[in-house]
Structures are given as structure tokens and as C-alpha cells.
């Protein structure tokens, strides 16, 4: 906005009038040319009252706009409580981000309502209960806590009221109210399931071998199994790991069929702000179990004659031990059994008793397909199996295991060595060089390793025959505010203060401080003689000492107020 200063027009007059603007002189000359002083008196006579700009009024107990402000403040609090209840549909649809926006809007509305009532109510308190200090009134009207000669009480009140909206804004955004959740069932089809990996792995595993599937699926379980100080929690099984692993018992692991990658990606593209999708379905699974009958058949030649022990697959670990894997011959199709073990390798498996040592240390496993229940959690960046069980009756088609040459030992011997080589037995009774020979994770790790191997081979072969649409439940979880007494108190504080100020003003309606109390009201009712006390403060706005603003009714009609300035 531009502002131009212009010099007023003057005309040549006597020395006493030389600084009076022309417009001022003309108005007085026309009133009484013979007596300028009389003209000044005539300008303020009753005959000129029709030119007054003031609009008479009075004080009332209730102001309509104040009532509307209170109603808006209370309504915003009520709606705020409604949308922040964690279990409400509104909370689910809004999510945490939407709730933050609306709560911030409601607090702003409440603050506007509070600010409308604050100046007049506080001025009324000063007139009724205080010393009616001029500087106090100015501080209240300007919301200035650090003006000169303001009482300590009003400084404190103004600081508190100024800091209140800032404090509330910071409080409702704090982490204390962040971790709420709202889960609702949705009728959307979760998609197809099958022996598949998570999104992105298929692009890596281009050779139909399955190493990338093996490693990707096994890392969460193997990370847990690497720490003997935290053994498996067998009393809380089944325990889920990663994308599709379910530890059923100390001797059994299930690799569940999962949601197809394209469907997972579709979900993830529509998730934001901490939202999650929970999919529960009855699916097929590859279950691997350690067959402990091997412990009673170590020396049973009849038992071992059923297996071709002369052609195992061996991986030397270069520490006097080797990993040995034995399954069907490559032209056989029954993939429902195998042996995996770590044994002392003296150089020649065939001639130095290697077969006997392997019989003494190997573990025997059986594979089958089974029905399991699984629950997956899909976020914008991950997909994870969170719970499951395999107590469902019946058995799905087992042809993939029984009629497919998977030959996992041909492709995964180095991975076997990586995962189970650390569980080697004591060499010559030396426990220090085999610290995990009796680890609680030994059998679960061997079992899971076998399961990952067979599952990864089936996933890499990409048989569309394994995909199907099971019965399922789809739950969509949105992160919402963890609302409670704290957030409700934040929403209710300003409306309560606004109502309290309104009630206080209504009880003190006889105090001559109206809704329009301010600069215009004071100038309209000021005693022109007393205003001379303020000479010198026209630009600085500051006084040398505290001043008193006496406020009284002009007459019995109580439609006009007289203001007189005094000093302490």
C-alpha cells in the first residue's frame, strides 16, 4: 500500500493563526466570521449533534455472535471426539493424516472463538476487580504481555493465553497419540494364491533354479536361528517368520502358499500413511517334518537298504567335516523324503567308513502338502506372514512333490553348507570347536533348510497349476490416532475456557464495558480535559508511570460511558 505525505494548504494570517490549516480556518470562519473562538464553541453545540458518527448502544447479558462462537467451539470439540475414537468408521476412513488435519482445524476454530471473548471479558474483569489501569487495558486489547506498566497478573494471563494454542497444537501431534489402529473387514477378493515368492524375486530368479527364492525366504528364520541365547519359544508355537515360514514345532516347519506378487503389488500401490492390509486364508502348504524314527534305526541295515546310500551329494566344509544330502536318484520322482547331515570326512566317503558316520549323524525328513491357515500383513513396503496354523483336516493334491524331479541337492549344496555346517558334531570330543552341536535351533534349522530347498525349487519351476483362489478374509488396517482422555482433554480445553469467559461476562453485564470497548469507544467518551495528561505519548505510546482509566455511566439510561484519565 503506497502512502504519500502532502503539506496542508495554509494562507497568510496573523501570527497566532499562521500554523492553522486552511480547511480548519474555513470551517470556523463560515460559522462565525466575527469571532473565531465563538465558532469553535458553536461547532460542538447541540445543534450539530446530527453530524455525530457515534452509534449509541448498551450492554447485554448475551451477544448473538458470542453464542455462535461458543456453539462453533463446542461443535468442533464434539466432532473432534467423534473422528478420533479409534474404533469409529470415521477414524478408519480419515486415517492418521486426515485426523491430524481436522483436529488442527478444530483447534483453530476453538482458538478464534476464545480470542473473540477474551479481550472484552478480561477488560470487564479489570474494570470490576482490578485497578482499571490504562496500560492494563491496552495490554489486554493488544494482547501484549510485555508493554510497560502492566500488572504481573495480566502479564501472566496474556502469556498463558498466547502460549495455549501453540501448546495444544504441539500436544496433539506428539508421538503419544500416534500408534492407534483401526481394522475393518472388507469384502474385496484378496486374489490368487500359489507356490510363489514375494514381489521382485521372480525378476532375479530367471534360470528356474530357485537360489534367490531360497535365500529371500530363509533370511528371517535363519537370523533368528543364529542366536542360541534366544532359543525357539516352543510354548508359543506356531511362530511365523518372513514371507511364508511357519515353525509348527521343534521338528516341523511349513512353507505356506502365498498371495501372488502382482496382487501384493496392487495392494501396496494403494496403501499410504501407515495403512495395512491383513489377508487371512486357508491355503496349501509344504510341510517338512523331522522323522525321529531315525534315532532307533541308525544300525538297522534293513531300513538303510531302502535308500541308495552309495550316491549322496557331498559338500566339503574344509574343516574335517562335510555336508551330505541324500534324496532320490535324479530319474526318480518321489520327493517326499530326504536325509541331511554333517559328518566327519576322512577323505573318502566310500572307503573310509563315511557311510557309517553319516548314518550316525544324519537327520531324516518327510515332506507333504497340507492345509494351513495363514494371515499376511501387507504394508506399502513389505509383505509378511504374521500368524498361522496347520490343523486343518484333509490333504491337498500332493502330485508336485510325488511326481516332479526337484533335485534340490543338485542346486543348493553350498546353501546347505552355509546354514547347517555350523551345527557340526564334536570332532574327537572337542566341544570348543563345535559350540552349536547341541543348540536348541539345530533340528528346527535342519528342518527349515530342507523345506526352503524343496519350496524354492517348486517356486522356480513356476507351475500355474499350483495357483488357486481359497476362501479368505480381508481386513484393512489404517493407522489412526491413539485417542483417549488426553486428546479429548485437548479438544475440550478451549471450549471450556470460552464458555467460562462467556458466563463471567454475563454475570458482570452491569459493568460499563461493552462489546465495542476499544479505541473508538474510549475516544468517543473521553473527558477532553483529562486526556491532556497523555501529552507526549502520541508517537511512543508509553507513559512515565501507570495511569488510571476511570469508567462510569454517563447517565441513568446506561447508553453512554464517560472515560476519565487519572494517575496513581
Amino acid at each position: 500500500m503506497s502512502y504519500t505525505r502532502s503539506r496542508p494548504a495554509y494562507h497568510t494570517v496573523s501570527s497566532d493563526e499562521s500554523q492553522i490549516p486552511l480547511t480548519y480556518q474555513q470551517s470556523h470562519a463560515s460559522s462565525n466570521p466575527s469571532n473565531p473562538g465563538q465558532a469553535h464553541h458553536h461547532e460542538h453545540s447541540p445543534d450539530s449533534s446530527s453530524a455525530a458518527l457515534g452509534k449509541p448502544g448498551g450492554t447485554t447479558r448475551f451477544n448473538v455472535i458470542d453464542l455462535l462462537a461458543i456453539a462453533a467451539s463446542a461443535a468442533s470439540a464434539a466432532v473432534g471426539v467423534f473422528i478420533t475414537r479409534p474404533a469409529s468408521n470415521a477414524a478408519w476412513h480419515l486415517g492418521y493424516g486426515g485426523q491430524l488435519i481436522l483436529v488442527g482445524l478444530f483447534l483453530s476454530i476453538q482458538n478464534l472463538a476464545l480470542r473473540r471473548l477474551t479481550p472484552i471479558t478480561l477488560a470487564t474483569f479489570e474494570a470490576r476487580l482490578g485497578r482499571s489501569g490504562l496500560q492494563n487495558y491496552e495490554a489486554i486489547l493488544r494482547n501484549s504481555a510485555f508493554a510497560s506498566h502492566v500488572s504481573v497478573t495480566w502479564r501472566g494471563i496474556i502469556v498463558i493465553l498466547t502460549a495455549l494454542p501453540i501448546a495444544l497444537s504441539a500436544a496433539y501431534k506428539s508421538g503419544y497419540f500416534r500408534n492407534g489402529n483401526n481394522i475393518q473387514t472388507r469384502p474385496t477378493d484378496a486374489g490368487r494364491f500359489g507356490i510363489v515368492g514375494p514381489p521382485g524375486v521372480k525378476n532375479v530368479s530367471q534360470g528356474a533354479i530357485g537360489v534367490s527364492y531360497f535365500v529371500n525366504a530363509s533370511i528371517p528364520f535363519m537370523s533368528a536361528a543364529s542366536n542360541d541365547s534366544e532359543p525357539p519359544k516352543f510354548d508359543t508355537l506356531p511362530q511365523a517368520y518372513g514371507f511364508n515360514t511357519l515353525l509348527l514345532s521343534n521338528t516341523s516347519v511349513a512353507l505356506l502358499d502365498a498371495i501372488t506378487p502382482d496382487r501384493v503389488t496392487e495392494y501396496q500401490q494403494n496403501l499410504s500413511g501407515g495403512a495395512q492390509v491383513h489377508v487371512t486364508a486357508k491355503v496349501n502348504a509344504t510341510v517338512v517334518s523331522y522323522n525321529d524314527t531315525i534315532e532307533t534305526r541308525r544300525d538297522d541295515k534293513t531300513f538303510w537298504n531302502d535308500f541308495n546310500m552309495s550316491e549322496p551329494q557331498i559338500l566339503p566344509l574344509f574343516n574335517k567335516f562335510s555336508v551330505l544330502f541324500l534324496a532320490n536318484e535324479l530319474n526318480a520322482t518321489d520327493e517326499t523324503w530326504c536325509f541331511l547331515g554333517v559328518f566327519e570326512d576322512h577323505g573318502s566317503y566310500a572307503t573310509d567308513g563315511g557311510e557309517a558316520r553319516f548314518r550316525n549323524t544324519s537327520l531324516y525328513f518327510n515332506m507333504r502338502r497340507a492345509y494351513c491357515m495363514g494371515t499376511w500383513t501387507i504394508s506399502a513396503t513389505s509383505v509378511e506372514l504374521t500368524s498361522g496354523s496347520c490343523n486343518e483336516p484333509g490333504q491337498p493334491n500332493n502330485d508336485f512333490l510325488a511326481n516332479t524331479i526337484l533335485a534340490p541337492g543338485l542346486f543348493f549344496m553350498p546353501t546347505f553348507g552355509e546354514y547347517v555346517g555350523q551345527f557340526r558334531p564334536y570332532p574327537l570330543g572337542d566341544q570348543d570347536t563345535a559350540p552349536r552341536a547341541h543348540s536348541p535351533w539345530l533340528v528346527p534349522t535342519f528342518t527349515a533348510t530342507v523345506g526352503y530347498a524343496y519350496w524354492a525349487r517348486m517356486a522356480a519351476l513356476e507351475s500355474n497349476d499350483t495357483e488357486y483362489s481359497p476362501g479368505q478374509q480381508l481386513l484393512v488396517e489404517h493407522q489412526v490416532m491413539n485417542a483417549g482422555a488426553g486428546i479429548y482433554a485437548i479438544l475440550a480445553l478451549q471450549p471450556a475456557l470460552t464458555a467460562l469467559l462467556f458466563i463471567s461476562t454475563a454475570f458482570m453485564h452491569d459493568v460499563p464495558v461493552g462489546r465495542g470497548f476499544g479505541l473508538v469507544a474510549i475516544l468517543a467518551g473521553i473527558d477532553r480535559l483529562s486526556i491532556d495528561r497523555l501529552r507526549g505519548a502520541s508517537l511512543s505510546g508509553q507513559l512515565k508511570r501507570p495511569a488510571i482509566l476511570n469508567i462510569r455511566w454517563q447517565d441513568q439510561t446506561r447508553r453512554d460511558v464517560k472515560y476519565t484519565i487519572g494517575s496513581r
Side-chain angles (χ1 to χ4, degrees):
M1 177 178 181
S2 61
Y3 173 72
T4 305
R5 262 180 102 176
S6 60
R7 296 174 57 86
Y10 293 95
H11 69 274
T12 305
V13 294
S14 63
S15 59
D16 293 338
E17 299 176 341
S18 60
Q19 300 302 317
I20 302 177
L22 177 60
T23 54
Y24 178 85
Q25 296 178 35
Q26 287 175 343
S27 64
H28 285 67
S30 62
S31 299
N32 193 338
S34 63
N35 192 341
Q38 179 118 2
H40 176 76
H41 174 75
H42 180 70
E43 185 182 14
H44 297 284
S45 66
D47 295 338
S48 62
S49 61
S50 60
L53 299 177
K55 181 180 179 180
T59 60
T60 60
R61 286 184 182 271
F62 305 110
N63 181 277
V64 174
I65 298 180
D66 290 348
L67 288 172
L68 291 176
I70 293 175
S73 184
S76 66
V79 176
V81 170
F82 175 75
I83 68 165
T84 55
R85 291 186 302 115
S88 67
N89 286 331
W92 186 89
H93 285 286
L94 289 170
Y96 182 72
Q99 287 178 308
L100 280 183
I101 293 173
L102 287 184
V103 170
L105 173 64
F106 295 152
L107 290 178
S108 297
I109 292 173
Q110 293 172 4
N111 185 246
L112 290 175
L114 181 62
R115 287 171 58 185
R116 171 171 174 78
L117 273 78
T118 297
I120 301 306
T121 305
L122 298 188
T124 303
F125 275 116
E126 174 67 10
R128 169 63 68 86
L129 305 175
R131 297 181 179 180
S132 198
L134 178 62
Q135 288 96 331
N136 289 343
Y137 287 121
E138 182 183 29
I140 291 169
L141 295 176
R142 295 177 58 190
N143 196 38
S144 176
F146 302 104
S148 62
H149 304 299
V150 178
S151 71
V152 175
T153 300
W154 288 122
R155 288 187 195 275
I157 292 174
I158 294 171
V159 167
I160 292 172
L161 291 176
T162 301
L164 179 63
I166 301 174
L168 294 178
S169 178
Y172 88 90
K173 297 175 185 174
S174 67
Y176 179 77
F177 302 114
R178 182 181 297 273
N179 297 320
N181 58 74
N182 185 314
I183 301 176
Q184 295 196 12
T185 303
R186 296 291 151 181
T188 308
D189 179 19
R192 294 179 63 81
F193 286 69
I195 305 176
V196 296
V201 178
K202 181 179 178 180
N203 297 331
V204 177
S205 183
Q206 295 289 342
I209 294 175
V211 175
S212 57
Y213 287 105
F214 192 130
V215 174
N216 181 278
S218 62
I219 288 298
F221 179 88
M222 295 303 172
S223 296
S226 65
N227 187 1
D228 284 343
S229 63
E230 295 184 12
K233 298 178 181 179
F234 296 122
D235 56 337
T236 60
L237 296 178
Q239 176 67 47
Y241 298 89
F243 173 68
N244 67 340
T245 305
L246 201 60
L247 179 62
L248 302 176
S249 69
N250 184 39
T251 60
S252 186
V253 173
L255 284 302
L256 275 63
D257 293 359
I259 312 171
T260 54
D262 55 344
R263 185 59 167 160
V264 172
T265 301
E266 182 181 339
Y267 279 125
Q268 291 177 328
Q269 291 173 345
N270 296 320
L271 294 176
S272 61
Q276 295 179 329
V277 173
H278 304 276
V279 179
T280 299
K282 178 181 178 180
V283 299
N284 302 339
T286 302
V287 178
V288 180
S289 300
Y290 166 59
N291 191 334
D292 59 4
T293 61
I294 186 69
E295 302 300 335
T296 62
R297 295 182 174 183
R298 300 284 184 190
D299 299 321
D300 185 349
K301 293 183 179 181
T302 302
F303 172 77
W304 291 102
N305 286 338
D306 291 336
F307 307 103
N308 186 4
M309 298 299 297
S310 62
E311 296 184 4
Q313 290 165 306
I314 301 175
L315 174 73
L317 298 178
F318 303 102
N319 59 1
K320 298 182 180 180
F321 288 87
S322 294
V323 173
L324 187 148
F325 179 79
L326 178 65
N328 277 340
E329 298 176 359
L330 289 180
N331 60 350
T333 57
D334 184 5
E335 300 284 353
T336 60
W337 63 270
C338 73
F339 292 89
L340 179 65
V342 182
F343 73 105
E344 289 186 67
D345 189 352
H346 294 175
S348 174
Y349 174 81
T351 61
D352 64 0
E355 180 178 332
R357 289 192 298 276
F358 175 69
R359 290 179 181 178
N360 289 332
T361 60
S362 63
L363 280 72
Y364 179 36
F365 300 97
N366 295 116
M367 284 72 70
R368 61 186 174 89
R369 295 283 282 170
Y371 290 124
C372 297
M373 292 295 298
T375 297
W376 285 262
T377 296
I378 303 172
S379 69
T381 58
S382 66
V383 53
E384 182 180 15
L385 179 68
T386 54
S387 64
S389 63
C390 291
N391 301 321
E392 301 300 314
Q395 181 176 352
N397 191 307
N398 206 46
D399 288 348
F400 210 152
L401 282 171
N403 300 320
T404 305
I405 300 176
L406 299 176
L410 186 64
F411 303 100
F412 300 140
M413 287 305 293
T415 313
F416 290 164
E418 185 83 9
Y419 287 164
V420 304
Q422 58 188 308
F423 297 100
R424 60 187 179 273
Y426 304 151
L428 304 177
D430 186 359
Q431 183 175 354
D432 293 337
T433 61
R436 305 200 70 189
H438 292 288
S439 167
W441 285 102
L442 188 150
V443 173
T445 301
F446 271 76
T447 308
T449 300
V450 171
Y452 289 128
Y454 281 89
W455 171 84
R457 288 292 297 134
M458 290 188 287
L461 292 176
E462 299 180 358
S463 173
N464 292 330
D465 294 337
T466 68
E467 294 188 7
Y468 51 93
S469 296
Q472 56 208 252
Q473 181 185 43
L474 183 66
L475 303 176
V476 182
E477 176 184 358
H478 285 179
Q479 183 183 11
V480 298
M481 297 185 74
N482 185 23
I487 198 71
Y488 302 149
I490 290 173
L491 287 166
L493 180 58
Q494 290 186 111
L497 288 176
T498 304
L500 180 62
L501 294 179
F502 178 80
I503 294 171
S504 301
T505 304
F507 275 108
M508 295 186 294
H509 73 285
D510 59 329
V511 176
V513 176
R515 165 53 61 187
F517 180 74
L519 179 62
V520 173
I522 294 174
L523 289 177
I526 194 70
D527 183 341
R528 289 163 179 75
L529 297 177
S530 69
I531 200 172
D532 216 31
R533 294 176 181 273
L534 306 181
R535 185 186 298 116
S538 60
L539 187 61
S540 68
Q542 297 184 5
L543 302 179
K544 296 177 182 179
R545 56 183 180 273
I548 300 297
L549 181 65
N550 295 312
I551 306 174
R552 65 181 184 276
W553 292 111
Q554 188 80 275
D555 51 40
Q556 295 297 323
T557 63
R558 293 194 174 190
R559 296 182 60 81
D560 209 353
V561 178
K562 186 72 173 180
Y563 300 96
T564 305
I565 297 174
S567 60
R568 296 176 183 175

